[in-house]
């Protein structure tokens, strides 16, 4: 197999032009993935320090500056969400595979694509610059008055500017994806034949387009509220209402969690179908379940704020609406199971990640259904139970989805095969590690341990000990991830066009590995024999 | 390419509309609170022309001072029992403990939140900004009634107590009409 495509006119620009002025969707996707890995290392380091600190009662590492613990917690959340998960699933895999899967030569607006990417490192630098001014420790939710009158100094202003940049990057990206998917599908590629990953990115892009401007508006208002003698949108002294910020924030924040998980749903659908050698069960149901999750995701936001003092009837509505989301999510889970049912299953590395994703996401989903109930949530609000819940759906759901996609498409993106033993070690260490970290946090939460504190009473010691032990396999797992990638690049085993064989039947597997610099110069034509 | 351009304009329009909605949420939210009583927002009326009916609620009084305001602020009575529709008068005592004149303004809410839309104020010191000279003491009245409509729905049957809570803030720039007043004007 040739390492490069059979396109003789595959001209690549020089290094600087190729990577810095890049307008090629594959190169930009690669940049996004590298950026996400870098951010993941930073965000991972912050969580490593927090977990070390919480290993036993008392102050171990944040002596003399306990506020820094909250700064770490805040930055861990912001970096992992905006600079790791989103760039990986949307910017990385989305850029790489959405155009290929729908048979388009590139994204609709390649230059805007470049702009979207380069806004992100700029944004991250702004965020990290806040450390130089003492950092901001008000949590990723940024509730006023702690984020306004409670945090003077430029640190939080840097974070606002950084998040605005990241937000606009995502809005431009979303416009690009929607335009590409709606207008640039190959002949015969109807919406109802489109691969599920493209569907998931389409729904995600609409969520981004509608949710992020609301975040931008509330960040602008925070910014002007922070100016001395400025506005008072969230300041009760001036007739404002801090609770309004929470409404605005979660109107963005709840769709945001689906923004992170929907593309992972798409990836897992492809992997489950490929390694069961069966087309996905209930394709249309799967696509419209994602649409339903996206739509309902916009009307459930106040379940994050049951404790602000809300009328019982309003709570009842938000409980019911939140529980409804379990229905389309259940459709997806059962369709994955039904896809595997009677299939010829291979437990290759991506399939292991996909199965772990399904299992762990269900665990996180079930605790989510529990937390949706206002009566229970009033007791569990801001405890480690919530921390455990959202790490099960994000650091295991979204991140397992990312690794699943990475190991599924690694051969396609690089042209090389990874060593499946090394990758297997990565999987098992990571799987065991994150479960040891987060499963005990359910118990801590049920015992009433609140989140965002640097210290805790001795009653909570045992499970915190266990939780902190989990960082050893997790850390080693991450190490093996880098070893796996490094080994693959060192050994250069050619992957071939389709290393997964029968079952992998989306368009990217018809191209060489890595795909030619310009793919689909002549558009592929869809026939009626399936192909999703 | 024309199709792409059209799509972009529609999508940009959607993004800008959501951005606008984000900013418009401020007046929308206030209107919403005023109409529904969300967040314990009370009603305001020029006079009480309701019928008194035979159901009593106990109204408790609560007072708070925002940080940075050197005032003492206490209700003169812990509670009053009022019949629905009956006008009642309550007093708060304030004292400026500093040695400079200070202008303050009071924010308020009523719990239980579902009862707030039925709590109607006809006169209140919170409707305007209050000036206290250095060391000055004053008694401030609030005239209110609880709307008998509270008795008409089953879901309000359990409202037996209500708490009226005030927080006094320092007005930093007393010459301008404060936002708190414009909020009152909405009610």
């Amino acid at each position: 197999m040739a390492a490069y495509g059979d396109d003789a006119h595959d001209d690549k620009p020089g290094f600087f032009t190729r990577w810095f002025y890049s307008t090629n969707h594959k190169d930009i996707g690669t940049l996004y993935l590298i950026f996400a890995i870098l951010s993941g290392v930073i965000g991972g380091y912050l969580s490593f320090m927090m977990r070390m600190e919480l290993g036993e009662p008392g102050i171990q590492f944040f002596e003399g500056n306990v506020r820094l613990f909250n700064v770490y917690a805040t930055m861990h959340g912001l970096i992992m969400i905006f600079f790791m998960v989103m760039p990986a699933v949307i910017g990385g895999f989305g850029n790489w595979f959405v155009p290929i899967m729908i048979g388009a030569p590139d994204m609709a607006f390649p230059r805007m694509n470049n702009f979207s990417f380069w806004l992100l490192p700029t944004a991250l630098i702004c965020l990290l610059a806040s450390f130089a001014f003492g950092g901001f420790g008000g949590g990723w939710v940024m509730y006023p008055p702690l984020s306004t009158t409670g945090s003077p100094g430029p640190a939080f202003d840097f974070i606002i500017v950084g998040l605005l940049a990241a937000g606009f990057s995502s809005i431009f990206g979303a416009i690009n994806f929607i335009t590409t998917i709606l207008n640039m599908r190959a002949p015969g590629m109807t919406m109802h034949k489109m691969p599920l990953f493209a569907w998931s990115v389409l729904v995600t892009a609409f969520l981004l387009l509608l949710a992020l401007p609301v975040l931008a508006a509330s960040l602008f208002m925070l910014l002007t509220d922070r100016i001395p003698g400025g506005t008072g949108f969230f300041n009760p002294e001036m007739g404002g209402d801090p609770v309004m910020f929470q409404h605005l924030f979660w109107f963005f924040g709840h769709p945001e969690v689906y923004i992170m998980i929907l593309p992972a749903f798409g990836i897992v659908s492809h992997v489950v179908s490929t390694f069961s050698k069966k087309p996905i069960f209930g394709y249309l149901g799967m696509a419209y379940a994602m649409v339903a999750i996206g739509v309902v995701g916009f009307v459930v936001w106040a379940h994050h704020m049951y404790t602000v003092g809300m009328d019982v009837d309003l709570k009842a509505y938000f409980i019911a609406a939140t529980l409804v989301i379990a229905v389309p999510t259940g459709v997806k889970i059962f369709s994955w199971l039904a896809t595997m049912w009677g299939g010829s299953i291979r437990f290759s590395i991506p399939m292991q990640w996909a199965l772990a994703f399904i299992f762990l996401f269900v665990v996180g989903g079930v605790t989510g259904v529990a937390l949706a109930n206002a009566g229970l949530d009033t007791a569990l609000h801001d405890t480690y139970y919530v921390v455990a819940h959202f790490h099960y759906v994000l650091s295991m759901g979204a991140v397992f989805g990312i690794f699943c996609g990475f190991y599924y498409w690694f051969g396609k993106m690089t042209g090389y095969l990874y060593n499946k033993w090394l990758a297997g070690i990565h999987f098992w260490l990571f799987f065991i590690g994150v479960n040891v970290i987060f499963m005990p946090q359910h118990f801590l939460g049920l015992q009433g341990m609140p989140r965002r504190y640097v210290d805790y009473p001795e009653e909570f010691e045992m499970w915190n000990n266990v939780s902190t032990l989990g960082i050893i396999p997790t850390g080693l797992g991450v190490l093996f991830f880098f070893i796996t990638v490094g080994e693959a690049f060192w050994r250069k085993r050619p992957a071939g066009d389709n290393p997964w064989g029968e079952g992998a039947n989306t368009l990217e597997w018809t191209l060489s590995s890595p795909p030619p610099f310009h793919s689909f110069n002549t558009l592929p034509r869809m026939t009626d024999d399936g192909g999703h | 390419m024309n199709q792409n351009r059209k799509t972009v304009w529609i999508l940009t329009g959607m993004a800008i509309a959501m951005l606008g909605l984000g900013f418009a949420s401020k007046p929308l939210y206030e209107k919403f609170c005023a109409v529904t009583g969300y967040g314990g927002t009370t009603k305001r009326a020029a006079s009480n022309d309701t019928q008194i009916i035979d159901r009593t609620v106990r109204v408790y009084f609560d007072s708070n001072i925002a940080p940075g305001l050197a005032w003492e602020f206490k209700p003169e009575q812990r509670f009053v029992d009022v019949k629905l529709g009956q006008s009642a008068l309550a007093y708060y005592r304030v004292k400026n403990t500093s040695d400079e004149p200070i202008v303050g303004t009071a924010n308020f809410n009523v719990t239980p939140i579902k009862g707030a839309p039925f709590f109607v104020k006809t006169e209140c010191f919170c409707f305007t900004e209050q000036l206290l000279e250095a060391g000055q003491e004053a008694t401030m009245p609030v005239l209110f009634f609880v709307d008998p409509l509270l008795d008409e729905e089953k879901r309000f049957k359990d409202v037996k107590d209500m708490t009226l809570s005030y927080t006094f803030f320092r007005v930093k720039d007393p010459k301008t009409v404060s936002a708190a007043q414009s909020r009152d004007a909405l009610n």
Side-chain angles (χ1 to χ4, degrees), chain A residues 54-141:
Chain A
L54 293 172
E56 42 192 278
I59 315 283
Q60 278 77 237
F61 297 92
F62 292 88
E63 188 69 62
N65 194 5
V66 289
R67 203 185 66 94
L68 196 63
F69 178 87
N70 286 2
V71 173
Y72 275 31
T74 306
M75 297 299 277
H76 165 73
L78 290 174
I79 289 176
M80 286 303 202
I81 292 165
F82 288 96
F83 300 96
M84 195 277 280
V85 173
M86 288 168 70
V89 287
I90 306 162
F93 297 130
N95 262 308
W96 249 101
F97 293 106
V98 165
I100 295 181
M101 278 182 170
I102 63 171
D106 205 314
M107 296 285 284
F109 307 105
R111 281 172 208 279
M112 187 159 85
N113 206 7
N114 173 295
F115 182 56
S116 292
F117 172 74
W118 285 106
L119 268 176
L120 270 190
T122 321
L124 184 62
I125 289 168
C126 275
L127 236 75
L128 294 178
S130 74
F131 273 110
F133 301 95
F136 168 68
W140 85 283
V141 294

Side-chain angles (χ1 to χ4, degrees), chain A residues 109 175 178-179 183 209-210 213 217 220-221 233 236-241 244 247-248 251 309 311 313-314, chain B residues 3-4 7-8 11-12 14-15 18-19 22-23 25-26 29-30 38 107 113-114 155 169-170 172 179-180 183:
Chain A
F109 307 105
I175 291 175
I178 298 172
T179 313
N183 295 345
L209 188 74
L210 298 176
F220 273 125
M221 287 191 263
F233 289 109
E237 240 174 294
M238 297 163 78
D241 190 339
M244 191 182 83
H247 281 291
L248 284 175
F251 184 82
D311 185 21
D313 285 7
L314 202 57
Chain B
Q3 186 59 37
N4 279 1
T7 312
V8 161
L11 296 177
T12 313
M14 285 166 75
M18 290 309 286
L19 189 73
F23 286 111
S25 64
K26 170 81 184 154
Y29 184 76
E30 274 172 3
Y38 179 81
N107 242 332
I113 287 157
K114 66 176 173 181
R155 62 181 285 245
F169 295 95
R170 184 177 184 141
K172 275 161 194 137
R183 173 171 164 164

Side-chain angles (χ1 to χ4, degrees), chain A residues 438-519:
Chain A
F438 293 111
M439 186 52 87
Q441 297 188 2
H442 290 113
F443 314 144
L444 289 170
L446 290 171
Q447 287 168 6
M449 179 173 168
R451 58 194 280 216
R452 305 183 206 275
Y453 284 93
V454 67
D455 197 4
Y456 53 83
E458 279 166 21
E459 284 82 351
F460 302 130
E461 182 171 6
M462 183 181 83
W463 289 119
N464 269 302
N465 267 327
V466 176
S467 178
T468 295
L469 281 180
I471 63 179
I472 299 169
T474 310
L476 286 175
V478 174
L479 186 68
F480 269 91
F481 166 68
F482 287 109
I483 293 175
T484 308
V485 174
E487 198 265 355
F489 275 101
W490 177 46
R491 290 299 180 89
K492 294 190 180 0
R493 287 172 295 260
D497 292 359
N498 182 0
W500 306 123
E502 190 196 337
N505 48 19
T506 37
L507 277 174
E508 74 268 30
W509 305 109
T510 63
L511 298 172
S512 61
S513 296
F517 194 63
H518 297 292
S519 41

Side-chain angles (χ1 to χ4, degrees), chain A residues 310-312, chain B residues 36-43 55 57 59 84 109-120 145-147 149-150 155-163:
Chain A
M310 209 186 282
D311 185 21
V312 172
Chain B
T36 62
Y38 179 81
T41 313
T42 60
K43 288 260 191 304
R55 173 177 158 190
V57 287
V59 178
L84 296 191
N109 76 346
V110 164
T111 49
I113 287 157
K114 66 176 173 181
F118 302 95
F119 195 96
V120 190
F145 63 94
V146 182
D147 199 313
L149 287 173
L150 185 73
R155 62 181 285 245
F156 301 117
K157 277 276 184 284
D158 60 338
V159 179
K160 297 191 172 74
D161 304 325
M162 290 178 134
T163 304

